[in-house]
Amino acid sequence: MSVNNEEKNIEIVESEVLETELSEKEKESVSVKSMEIPVSELLGEKTGVGEKKEPSEREKELSEKGKKSSEKKKFKLSSGALSKVFSLSNILLGLRLCVIVAAVVFSLAAVNYFTSPVIKGNEEEKGNVARSALVPDATSFSLYEGDIPESGRNVSEIYVAEQNGDTIAYCVGITTAGFGGEIDLVVAIRVDMSILGIKVISHSETVGIGASALEEDAALLPQFSGLPASSVDNVTAVSGATVTSNAVKSCVEEAAVVVNALVKGADSE
């Protein structure tokens, strides 16, 4: 019986040793397994780590669109900057032009301010000389203060020529359109409706043609002196200056209508 027990004990010890060895081997295998790295992970075959994929057509299209949009944004930015520069230059140019125009206008206004009274004074002096020459027997001239008759659309002023307090004639300042511009005249008509004469104050007619017809020693103006106002149609126009001649004739006719109205008004009073 003792022998059997010893054998049993030996078997038990051997089994325990085997179990211990097996457990140690299992532990070693587990540690080795934990240290193992799959080859597929290293090569990147299954997981795709480190793998370079070829981009798809959709990705290429999106990439191209992104590039184009970025280029457009750059172009928009550059064009916007250029437009700002150009707009600023236009503003500066506009300001310079405004300053130049303002300076020119100011200069013209200043010239007109200083020369206008001189021109007006010269014209008044010319008018006084013309009236005195047309009505030499008048002792005084006075500006007509009444209303100008409606027929005198082109009449600017009327002076009454008096001799010792009696009205002997009217000097009518009238403007008409000639060939080159306005013609300012003084037409003197007696109260008996006979024309004393015409004096030119200013004109813009062509030199050598219309201007020559308005000279005092030319063929046109002397025809009116001593002529009855009703016979103005008998005046012959100067050859080559028909427009100027007709303009003067229309002035005399209008002045005659105005004087006739003034004379009749004075008689009725």
Side-chain angles (χ1 to χ4, degrees), residues 7-56:
E7 289 177 356
K8 288 180 180 179
N9 289 332
I10 291 170
E11 290 177 356
I12 291 169
V13 170
E14 288 178 355
S15 64
E16 289 179 353
V17 170
L18 288 173
E19 288 178 359
T20 302
E21 289 178 356
L22 289 174
S23 63
E24 291 294 330
K25 287 181 180 181
E26 287 178 356
K27 288 181 181 179
E28 289 178 0
S29 65
V30 169
S31 62
V32 169
K33 286 181 179 180
S34 63
M35 293 176 64
E36 288 180 355
I37 298 174
V39 177
S40 61
E41 290 184 6
L42 290 173
L43 295 177
E45 292 177 353
K46 292 183 179 179
T47 59
V49 176
E51 181 183 5
K52 294 183 179 180
K53 293 183 179 180
E54 187 71 20
S56 63

Side-chain angles (χ1 to χ4, degrees), residues 56-66:
S56 63
E57 292 297 327
R58 179 61 178 170
E59 290 175 345
K60 289 180 179 179
E61 184 179 352
L62 292 175
S63 177
E64 290 295 327
K65 287 183 178 179

Side-chain angles (χ1 to χ4, degrees), residues 135-268:
V135 192
D137 53 345
T139 57
S140 64
F141 294 91
S142 60
L143 182 64
Y144 178 71
E145 299 293 346
D147 295 331
I148 296 174
E150 294 181 359
S151 56
R153 295 184 303 273
N154 299 309
V155 174
S156 58
E157 60 185 11
I158 302 172
Y159 275 84
V160 181
E162 296 180 341
Q163 186 181 57
N164 300 323
D166 296 327
T167 301
I168 59 174
Y170 291 93
C171 295
V172 181
I174 190 167
T175 303
T176 187
F179 181 81
E182 292 185 343
I183 302 174
D184 294 327
L185 304 171
V186 173
V187 181
I189 301 175
R190 286 190 179 274
V191 292
D192 62 359
M193 298 307 298
S194 62
I195 301 171
L196 290 169
I198 302 170
K199 290 289 184 180
V200 178
I201 303 301
S202 64
H203 68 85
S204 302
E205 296 303 275
T206 307
V207 177
I209 304 174
S212 298
L214 295 176
E215 294 177 0
E216 293 186 2
D217 56 352
L220 180 63
L221 299 183
Q223 294 184 61
F224 293 95
S225 298
L227 188 70
S230 58
S231 302
V232 174
D233 290 338
N234 296 329
V235 174
T236 303
V238 175
S239 178
T242 305
V243 176
T244 303
S245 301
N246 290 334
V248 174
K249 288 172 65 175
S250 66
C251 278
V252 176
E253 290 174 346
E254 184 175 336
V257 174
V258 170
V259 171
N260 186 44
L262 293 177
V263 170
K264 287 182 178 180
D267 292 340
S268 63

Side-chain angles (χ1 to χ4, degrees), residues 29 115 134:
S29 65
T115 59
L134 291 170

